[in-house]
Amino acid sequence: MKYLPTLLAGLFISIAHAETERPNVILVMTDDQGYGDLGCHGNPILKTPELDKLHDESVRFTDFHVSSFCTPTRAALMTGNYPAFAGAYRTSAGRTLMHTDEKTIANLFSDAGYTTGMVGKWHLGDNAPHRPQDRGFQKVLWHKAGGVGQAPDYWGNDYFDDTYERASADNKNGTYEKFEGYCTDVWFRESIRFIEQNKEKPFFLYLALNAPHGPYFVPDEWAAPYKGNDDVVNPNFYGMIANIDHNMGILRQQLEKLGLAENTILIFMTDNGTSAGAKFKGLNSLPLKGYNAGMRGKKSSVYDGGQRVPFFIYWPKGGLTGGRDMDTITAHIDVLPSLADMCGISVPSEYDVDGISFKPLLQGENKDWPRKSHVIQYHGGAHGKAMPPAPLNFSVVLTEQWRLVNSDGEFLYDIEADPAQQNDVAANHPGVVEQLRQDYQPFWKRVSPRMTPVRIDLGNPANNPTILSSQDWYMDKGNPPWNFGSIKKLPKVTGPWMVDVQRAGRYRITLRQWPKEAEKPVVAVRAKLEIADQVAESPVKAGSTGVEFEIDLPAGPTKLVTYLYDKKGKAGGAYFTDVEFLSGN
């Protein structure tokens, strides 16, 4: 196993001393930016001077792994657990919600006396009890869904002058506010506002950007340097990263101005491989165009290009400076226990984390590093195909030398000799293949019992009415309608919302084709719903923006299924359904 040489002799003392002064934590994570989408990682075109500077000053984990999609990485980051164990292991279809018994890093830091803030993209549930303000974050400014412009997001948001929800531990229902400017600028501006307001005591800030995720909107000034270059796959994608880079510089300048830079743990990472920094013939190929740091695969691939990402950590008072590389395998599940360890916070046994604190690695204590292998698996719904959870399916078992990939076949790669993963050597190393298969088994035993439906509350006082979106239909094949573009016509499919009625009583359930703020009519002639063994139907009045039902519901778990029928009798589900508790029985 490879290890970083022993760090400076005083590092252990530095970290121990800094812990007594309660460091702040800022974790910045971008969306769909790959390992190669940085100048410091060899990109010959993209200019990222501020991130390059942070790279040069930080400890860099060069073999750091996440999941290959948005939601599972976020679930692992928040809980320290494998995404499937946490319950949130897909990007839609009812699998974006964490089990309610999962504790988050925000719970941990909040309980330890930190002020906790979250800004930007959550993608772990839009309704109680799954919103960031329900999961330990005391101050929140966020957009719904997995991206700006997706179905649950505020209608009309398009990255510019958008409307986002502000919420807090004291106002979990939240209120919508309209902001001026480009989304990334807003997120950084509001993050700095949070820092300024909470600088007098330790804070934990999770700044989760929606950029450079599609639809790749950015002010022209940022994309202009990359337009007209035949080697650039998507100028707007690079422009979005350039804008992030600019804002990172502003953030760091403000930390210096406030006197907080020395004792703030600043982390930069991304959530999966590149989405538009390179062009590929297929999901798991080497790039035909663009730059991917020599790796095979991109976002959604279990090859290294899909899930090996940047991870920079900078903490001057803790001795984490100097531009050093750490080449031991680490992962998103390690962030919670590591930050807790560095901040002197004990992780209660109820957190039951899968991750390992990498603080000993930072101190040069490498001999007893317990991880011999690591497993990454995507558990269903890839590219519109049915993919029921199954052992080894669409997975990779990693060591520092080997990658056992199961994706359209089983392949073994010697990552040290073949970092581009081009030569399958399984036939030459049957013993290695068998060992990695065995290494996989405890992972499957751990996660498979937890891949069960996670429910949305109805009648929760902190989220009444509940606004349900088709993005959360619990579907086994493909993805349900999930963005503004997919809801323009009547749906052809429907699916159940897995819900939990918190209070028995009278409810108003309103079926809509469009979100309420759109004020657009339902283009259907008849509506129906099924819930708690009850069925209700109603004609749709011409020009109506919603079809209302009042129904008595018992408390407890159930399913809600909706139907909107056209003139030919064909039906699909209501893209949006408002469920409001009216009164108790």
Side-chain angles (χ1 to χ4, degrees):
M1 181 177 285
K2 303 174 296 181
Y3 293 108
L4 178 73
T6 303
L7 301 179
L8 297 175
L11 178 57
F12 177 81
I13 297 174
S14 296
I15 291 179
H17 175 70
E19 284 174 351
T20 65
E21 299 182 29
R22 310 270 286 177
N24 305 305
V25 179
I26 301 175
L27 196 163
V28 180
M29 184 167 71
T30 65
D31 193 358
D32 285 2
Q33 180 180 5
Y35 191 92
D37 297 325
L38 286 164
C40 54
H41 285 168
N43 194 302
I45 298 172
L46 178 60
K47 305 301 181 185
T48 53
E50 296 296 338
L51 289 169
D52 294 355
K53 181 174 183 287
L54 180 62
H55 166 273
D56 293 345
E57 296 172 347
S58 299
V59 174
R60 296 85 59 123
F61 286 81
T62 60
D63 208 1
F64 187 87
H65 298 265
V66 293
S67 299
S68 55
F69 288 89
C70 308
T71 288
T73 290
R74 293 157 205 277
L77 195 66
M78 286 297 102
T79 66
N81 285 325
Y82 295 117
F85 184 87
Y89 54 91
R90 282 180 58 178
T91 57
S92 65
R95 275 85 163 180
T96 66
L97 314 174
M98 297 184 294
H99 290 293
T100 54
D101 63 354
E102 287 288 291
K103 296 288 187 178
T104 72
I105 194 169
N107 293 131
L108 184 69
F109 275 78
S110 179
D111 290 345
Y114 276 67
T115 301
T116 54
M118 184 267 163
V119 175
K121 172 174 171 173
W122 177 240
H123 206 183
L124 291 168
D126 300 323
N127 295 291
H130 307 292
R131 303 163 300 177
Q133 60 263 37
D134 302 317
R135 307 307 293 250
F137 286 101
Q138 300 164 5
K139 306 290 183 181
V140 176
L141 181 70
W142 66 307
H143 69 79
K144 304 285 180 77
V148 172
Q150 294 185 10
D153 190 24
Y154 192 87
W155 176 256
N157 279 358
D158 63 0
Y159 286 54
F160 299 92
D161 300 330
D162 289 341
T163 298
Y164 307 123
E165 182 181 279
R166 191 184 297 279
S168 66
D170 299 325
N171 180 27
K172 289 188 175 182
N173 268 307
T175 55
Y176 279 110
E177 293 182 25
K178 187 172 180 61
F179 292 84
E180 292 185 4
Y182 181 60
C183 56
T184 301
D185 298 337
V186 171
W187 303 135
F188 273 96
R189 189 166 69 235
E190 288 295 315
S191 293
I192 291 172
R193 176 184 175 187
F194 169 86
I195 292 166
E196 291 172 343
Q197 291 178 340
N198 297 283
K199 65 181 185 293
E200 300 302 327
K201 71 174 190 175
F203 59 80
F204 176 94
L205 172 62
Y206 174 44
L207 171 51
L209 304 172
N210 63 293
H213 193 286
Y216 310 123
F217 297 150
V218 69
D220 290 341
E221 64 187 278
W222 297 106
Y226 305 104
K227 290 182 177 179
N229 188 328
D230 291 339
D231 293 323
V232 174
V233 174
N234 188 320
N236 281 6
F237 180 77
Y238 275 7
M240 296 170 87
I241 295 171
N243 173 263
I244 292 169
D245 183 81
H246 171 75
N247 276 290
M248 281 294 295
I250 295 173
L251 174 65
R252 296 192 68 192
Q253 289 171 11
Q254 193 64 14
L255 290 174
E256 290 284 355
K257 181 179 178 181
L258 295 171
L260 300 176
E262 283 292 305
N263 200 27
T264 293
I265 300 172
L266 176 62
I267 292 173
F268 173 81
M269 63 177 293
T270 74
D271 67 344
N272 46 243
T274 190
S275 63
K279 183 179 180 180
F280 301 80
K281 183 178 180 180
L283 174 66
N284 298 318
S285 67
L286 284 170
L288 300 174
K289 181 180 178 181
Y291 181 78
N292 202 33
M295 293 187 294
R296 178 176 178 177
K298 62 173 184 174
K299 175 184 178 178
S300 75
S301 170
V302 292
Y303 284 85
D304 269 28
Q307 39 75 17
R308 177 176 163 240
V309 302
F311 188 94
F312 309 155
I313 181 167
Y314 176 75
W315 180 23
K317 193 173 283 290
L320 303 184
T321 60
R324 298 184 293 273
D325 287 339
M326 184 75 62
D327 57 11
T328 304
I329 281 185
T330 45
H332 48 13
I333 58 176
D334 301 331
V335 173
L336 182 152
S338 301
L339 287 176
D341 203 1
M342 286 187 279
C343 294
I345 301 172
S346 297
V347 181
S349 59
E350 64 187 285
Y351 281 68
D352 192 22
V353 297
D354 295 311
I356 305 167
S357 171
F358 50 64
K359 176 183 170 184
L361 296 178
L362 296 172
Q363 297 172 336
E365 300 170 9
N366 303 319
K367 294 181 181 180
D368 297 324
W369 180 245
R371 177 175 291 131
K372 305 304 179 185
S373 61
H374 177 62
V375 177
I376 299 168
Q377 185 170 18
Y378 182 57
H379 299 283
H383 323 302
K385 299 177 182 178
M387 190 182 292
L392 288 170
N393 195 17
F394 209 71
S395 72
V396 57
V397 186
L398 311 93
T399 71
E400 293 189 3
Q401 181 176 3
W402 304 104
R403 303 287 196 264
L404 182 66
V405 174
N406 276 269
S407 179
D408 299 320
E410 183 179 68
F411 311 96
L412 179 69
Y413 301 97
D414 183 340
I415 202 71
E416 294 179 350
D418 178 26
Q421 298 178 271
Q422 292 296 286
N423 303 306
D424 175 24
V425 296
N428 300 331
H429 301 279
V432 174
V433 172
E434 182 56 31
Q435 180 60 57
L436 295 178
R437 288 175 182 166
Q438 292 302 313
D439 287 353
Y440 172 87
Q441 297 308 314
F443 165 85
W444 182 249
K445 184 177 180 180
R446 167 82 166 162
V447 306
S448 55
R450 298 272 288 183
M451 286 188 279
T452 55
V454 181
R455 298 179 183 274
I456 297 169
D457 284 357
L458 301 182
N460 187 320
N463 187 201
N464 189 43
T466 299
I467 312 299
L468 301 171
S469 161
S470 57
Q471 192 172 83
D472 287 325
W473 287 346
Y474 197 84
M475 301 176 68
D476 291 325
K477 182 177 181 180
N479 291 318
W482 57 273
N483 61 25
F484 291 165
S486 64
I487 65 174
K488 292 181 179 179
K489 297 180 181 179
L490 278 179
K492 298 180 180 179
V493 296
T494 191
W497 283 293
M498 311 302 284
V499 296
D500 191 358
V501 180
Q502 296 294 295
R503 295 181 284 178
R506 191 75 170 171
Y507 285 78
R508 178 185 296 118
I509 303 178
T510 307
L511 279 56
R512 303 182 189 277
Q513 181 182 346
W514 307 87
K516 184 177 180 179
E517 336 49 284
E519 298 182 342
K520 293 190 175 186
V522 178
V523 185
V525 297
R526 184 163 57 94
K528 183 174 78 170
L529 66 80
E530 299 171 351
I531 186 171
D533 297 322
Q534 301 181 66
V535 179
E537 296 190 54
S538 174
V540 178
K541 296 180 181 178
S544 172
T545 61
V547 185
E548 293 185 0
F549 298 86
E550 287 196 13
I551 191 168
D552 292 316
L553 297 178
T558 187
K559 298 179 182 179
L560 170 59
V561 186
T562 60
Y563 304 87
L564 294 175
Y565 293 87
D566 64 17
K567 293 179 180 179
K568 296 181 180 180
K570 295 181 180 179
Y575 293 126
F576 303 93
T577 296
D578 310 347
V579 184
E580 183 177 7
F581 175 81
L582 299 176
S583 62
N585 289 333

